[in-house]
């Protein structure tokens, strides 16, 4: 049993992964199509012969990359990165969603456990701390850069 890399047509990774997963093959155990890996799908299967048989009937599946990958090589695709990663306190950010969309603010506090950031709006007459989700802000200027 191993993890095989399947070469696909560009932008068809999700389609190929869904088609492989929808096949009821006992020898195919898992399929992974990470967004950061273009033109490839990772498939855990008993052997490459099973995978080649499945791929014959799937459009956009091109070939199997020779050899197998280990779990440690694909592990980083399995755990999502938090939205607050790369944001530091006192960074200047722009809110890109919510009621304060378009406003600029300074990061006051970061809660990685909840994936939230507390910011203080720049142009407010009275400094107002606002807590938003990490995916609702975009870093404009960082002190570390």
């Amino acid at each position: 049993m191993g993890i095989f890399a399947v070469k696909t047509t560009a932008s068809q990774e999700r389609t190929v992964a869904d088609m492989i997963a929808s096949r009821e093959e006992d020898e195919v155990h898992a399929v992974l199509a990470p967004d950061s890996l273009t033109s490839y799908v990772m498939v855990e299967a008993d052997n490459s012969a099973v995978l080649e048989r499945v791929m014959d009937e799937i459009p956009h599946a091109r070939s199997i990359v020779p050899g197998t990958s280990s779990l440690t090589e694909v592990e980083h695709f399995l755990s999502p990165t938090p939205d607050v990663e790369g944001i530091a306190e006192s960074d200047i950010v722009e809110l890109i969603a919510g009621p304060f969309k378009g406003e600029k603010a300074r990061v006051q506090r970061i809660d990685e456990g909840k994936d939230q950031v507390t910011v203080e709006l720049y142009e407010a007459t009275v400094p107002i701390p606002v807590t938003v989700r990490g995916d609702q802000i975009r870093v404009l200027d960082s002190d570390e850069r």
Side-chain angles (χ1 to χ4, degrees):
M1 186 161 76
I3 300 173
F4 300 91
V6 175
K7 178 95 171 105
T8 66
T9 306
S11 303
Q12 295 297 321
E13 303 88 3
R14 182 82 53 208
T15 307
V16 170
D18 289 344
M19 290 174 125
I20 292 173
S22 68
R23 305 280 311 243
E24 294 185 9
E25 293 285 337
D26 292 334
E27 295 92 353
V28 175
H29 304 289
V31 184
L32 177 68
D35 293 332
S36 58
L37 191 63
T38 53
S39 299
Y40 290 95
V41 172
M42 305 306 288
V43 181
E44 183 180 21
D46 286 348
N47 56 51
S48 61
V50 169
L51 199 49
E52 289 201 28
R53 188 178 75 237
V54 169
M55 284 175 47
D56 283 342
E57 300 169 26
I58 296 177
H60 305 296
R62 297 286 169 238
S63 62
I64 299 174
V65 176
T68 61
S69 297
S70 66
L71 186 58
T72 54
E73 291 177 309
V74 295
E75 204 169 37
H76 65 281
F77 293 126
L78 300 176
S79 55
T81 57
D83 291 322
V84 296
E85 191 172 293
I87 300 172
E89 287 186 17
S90 77
D91 280 358
I92 307 300
V93 296
E94 178 184 5
L95 283 87
I96 56 173
F100 299 105
K101 182 178 179 178
E103 293 284 329
K104 290 179 179 45
R106 181 179 299 274
V107 176
Q108 298 298 316
R109 189 172 56 250
I110 300 166
D111 186 346
E112 288 185 23
K114 293 181 179 175
D115 209 17
Q116 292 180 337
V117 179
T118 302
V119 297
E120 199 171 86
L121 299 177
Y122 245 14
E123 284 131 24
T125 352
V126 178
I128 307 168
V130 178
T131 302
V132 295
R133 290 195 328 260
D135 63 346
Q136 293 184 338
I137 61 173
R138 178 172 58 99
V139 178
L140 295 176
D141 189 24
S142 175
D143 289 345
E144 297 170 10
R145 290 185 199 131

